[in-house]
Amino acid sequence: MSQRDIPVYLFTGFLEGGKTKFIQESMEDARVNNGDRTLILLCEEGVEEYDPSAFASPNVWIEPVENEEDLTPEFLQRVLDAHKCVRVIVEYNGMWMLNTLYTQMPENWVIAQEYMFCDARTFLSYNANMRQLVYDKLRSCELVVFNRCPPDADRMEFHKIVRAISRRTDIAYEKPDGTVEYDEIQDPLPFDLDAPVVDIADRDYALFYSDLSEDYRKYDGKTLHYKGMVVKSAKLPEDTFIFGRQVMTCCANDIQFTGLAATWPETPTLAKGEWVELTAKVRVKWHKAYGKRGPVLTVTHLEHREAPEDPVATFY
C-alpha cells in the first residue's frame, strides 16, 4: 500500500450473524485497536450495539449509514476527513449489494480484508430464499464464519454452498460454546487434471471454468476434451472462435456466457451458436480475444454435436 491508501476492513453477512460482536471484541483488543484513528461505518443496526467505553483506544468514531444511496465517494471521504481517520471498518448491510460499496469507495480506499459472518441456524434459509444476496457476499470474502453452529449440523451442506461460489474462501464453524473449528473437507475436482486428456463432463463445466478462472496457469500445457458452443466475432482473427457455455451461478438473472479463445484452421466452416465437442491443448499466451495473456485452446479434433439436455451449466 502507498502512504495515501486507506485500508478497509469489510464485514458482511446478515442480521444476527455476529458482525457487531466480532468488531466490538476487536476494538477491545489493544493489539488491534492500537490508537490508529479508526472509522466504523455502521450500515445496519442489529440487536447488539457497540460499547465504545470498552474500546482499548478512544480513537474510534462510529458513523451510521442509513441508506444504500448514501454511499457516495463524497460522503465517505467527508466522514473520513472529519475524524482524520487512517483506516475504515465497514459493518455492511446484508440486504445491500457489495458492488455499491466497491464502486463508490474513494480511489485510495483499498479492501484489506473481507469477512462474512452468518448464523448457522438461519444461513440455509437465507440461501434458499435470497440466493443472489448470499452469492454476492460469498464470492469475494476471504473467510466465512458460521456462528452458533450446532454440533450435529451437516457441515457438508454448508461446504458445498460455499465451494459452488468460491474455492478460495476459508470456512470456519463457531460452536455455541465459542470454540472454532476450520473446514478440512477435501475438495477434489470432478476430473483428473493429471490425465493425458482431461475429460470434462457436461455437468462439470461450471466447476471447470470457475477453477480455471481462479488459476488458469495450472492448465497451461493440458489437453482438454469437452462440449461447448461456438461464438464468433468479426473482430477476431479468421481462425479464432470463442468456445464455452452459459453458466448460471445463483439465479436466472445472472446467466452469462463464459468461454475461451480457440484457434482452428477450419473456423470459417463453423456456424455461430452451434454445439461442438473438441479436444484441444491449452497454451497461456497473449491473444487478441483477451487483449492480454490468457488460456488459448489449440484445437486438435472437433466434432459437431447436439446441445446437452441442459444447455445452461450450473454448480449442481
Side-chain angles (χ1 to χ4, degrees):
M1 289 186 182
S2 67
Q3 263 192 331
R4 60 189 294 270
D5 284 338
I6 300 297
V8 178
Y9 300 88
L10 176 57
F11 297 88
T12 71
F14 303 100
L15 282 173
E16 300 188 45
K19 301 189 296 294
T20 304
K21 181 175 181 290
F22 183 86
I23 295 171
Q24 174 73 35
E25 291 175 350
S26 297
M27 292 296 95
E28 292 176 6
D29 188 337
R31 294 169 298 179
V32 177
N33 188 8
N34 57 6
D36 287 345
R37 299 176 74 88
T38 303
L39 172 66
I40 297 179
L41 292 174
L42 179 59
C43 299
E44 68 178 0
E45 292 189 24
V47 176
E48 292 197 43
E49 296 183 356
Y50 289 108
D51 178 10
S53 67
F55 290 172
S57 164
N59 290 342
V60 180
W61 288 265
I62 302 172
E63 288 283 354
V65 184
E66 296 183 0
N67 303 299
E68 190 173 0
E69 296 75 21
D70 295 336
L71 290 171
T72 65
E74 295 75 19
F75 167 77
L76 296 174
Q77 192 64 53
R78 185 170 67 253
V79 293
L80 182 79
D81 293 344
H83 305 297
K84 299 181 175 59
C85 293
V86 297
R87 63 179 178 177
V88 177
I89 293 173
V90 181
E91 181 177 346
Y92 204 64
N93 190 314
M95 298 295 112
W96 299 354
M97 299 298 284
L98 278 172
N99 196 52
T100 302
L101 177 66
Y102 294 155
T103 58
Q104 296 302 315
M105 288 194 309
E107 289 186 5
N108 64 326
W109 287 30
V110 180
I111 300 293
Q113 292 178 331
E114 182 179 334
Y115 296 154
M116 180 178 182
F117 287 81
C118 306
D119 186 329
R121 301 167 302 179
T122 59
F123 173 76
L124 297 180
S125 177
Y126 274 109
N127 185 64
N129 298 295
M130 301 181 184
R131 172 70 173 169
Q132 190 169 8
L133 289 170
V134 171
Y135 168 77
D136 179 61
K137 307 305 180 294
L138 278 175
R139 64 179 175 171
S140 54
C141 68
E142 302 167 39
L143 170 70
V144 56
V145 179
F146 292 106
N147 287 310
R148 309 177 186 93
C149 190
D152 59 348
D154 182 1
R155 294 186 180 183
M156 180 59 79
E157 194 168 8
F158 293 99
H159 175 93
K160 286 182 176 179
I161 291 170
V162 176
R163 285 292 169 261
I165 298 170
S166 170
R167 298 178 67 86
R168 294 177 295 181
T169 300
D170 291 326
I171 306 170
Y173 305 95
E174 183 174 344
K175 299 178 182 179
D177 64 4
T179 58
V180 177
E181 293 181 0
Y182 285 89
D183 187 291
E184 296 181 351
I185 297 173
Q186 294 300 309
D187 211 25
L189 291 167
F191 45 84
D192 184 3
L193 259 184
D194 295 322
V197 176
V198 182
D199 193 17
I200 301 161
D202 288 346
R203 69 190 299 269
D204 296 330
Y205 176 83
L207 285 172
F208 151 70
Y209 192 82
S210 175
D211 186 66
L212 178 139
S213 298
E214 291 186 0
D215 185 10
Y216 62 76
R217 292 173 183 82
K218 72 182 181 183
Y219 285 82
D220 192 23
K222 303 292 184 182
T223 298
L224 309 181
H225 174 257
Y226 62 105
K227 187 188 298 181
M229 182 190 298
V230 173
V231 172
K232 301 178 75 174
S233 170
K235 297 180 181 179
L236 296 175
E238 191 176 55
D239 69 343
T240 302
F241 63 98
I242 304 299
F243 182 67
R245 291 182 62 177
Q246 289 185 315
V247 173
M248 182 173 70
T249 304
C250 70
C251 60
N253 291 333
D254 77 352
I255 293 176
Q256 61 180 338
F257 183 83
T258 62
L260 303 177
T263 61
W264 191 47
E266 298 179 48
T267 292
T269 67
L270 298 174
K272 181 179 179 180
E274 73 172 306
W275 286 83
V276 298
E277 187 170 349
L278 58 72
T279 302
K281 189 153 192 174
V282 182
R283 286 298 182 198
V284 174
K285 58 184 179 181
W286 188 94
H287 195 281
K288 184 177 181 180
Y290 307 127
K292 60 182 180 180
R293 286 173 61 83
V296 179
L297 301 173
T298 299
V299 179
T300 57
H301 184 75
L302 183 148
E303 295 184 19
H304 300 273
R305 291 285 185 262
E306 295 294 324
E309 184 176 345
D310 188 350
V312 177
T314 64
F315 292 91
Y316 306 155

